[in-house]
Amino acid sequence: MIILNKTTDPQTFSFIGRSKSFDSLYITDEQTGVTTEVTIDSFTSGDYIDTITAVFSLVEDRYYNLEIKNGSDVVLKDKVFCTNQAVSTY
């Protein structure tokens, strides 16, 4: 699970995907079912770990489904939780 904040600032997370190539990120609000394509900046941190930086429009205390794709191929599926509370004290 990826934890993100409700902010208008760019946020960063790392992952190990099925492929080193990807070109799009989609995030779906589980409550409303609305899917949004997010513009991403990415770079590789070592042999397997990729890092994405993006600006997300999230609602606090909601769950989202995240998909990273390379064309029509799915590179990563994960769940996102949005909270402004520190993860260590949640």
Side-chain angles (χ1 to χ4, degrees):
M1 179 177 290
I2 299 167
I3 307 295
L4 297 174
N5 296 320
K6 181 183 177 195
T7 180
T8 57
D9 297 331
Q11 299 184 68
T12 301
F13 66 91
S14 296
F15 66 95
I16 299 173
R18 296 180 184 152
S19 168
K20 297 302 288 173
S21 300
F22 50 91
D23 55 15
S24 57
L25 183 149
Y26 297 92
I27 192 158
T28 304
D29 186 326
E30 284 190 347
Q31 196 167 8
T32 64
V34 175
T35 300
T36 306
E37 184 173 5
V38 179
T39 304
I40 57 175
D41 291 323
S42 63
F43 60 91
T44 302
S45 306
D47 292 334
Y48 299 105
I49 300 173
D50 291 305
T51 301
I52 286 182
T53 301
V55 176
F56 298 92
S57 296
L58 305 175
V59 177
E60 191 170 4
D61 296 327
R62 279 202 192 166
Y63 287 95
Y64 297 84
N65 291 314
L66 176 129
E67 275 193 344
I68 298 174
K69 294 184 175 185
N70 183 27
S72 62
D73 296 332
V74 176
V75 175
L76 176 77
K77 280 187 166 186
D78 208 339
K79 190 166 284 260
V80 173
F81 182 65
C82 176
T83 182
N84 283 346
Q85 188 172 346
V87 175
S88 61
T89 61
Y90 190 79

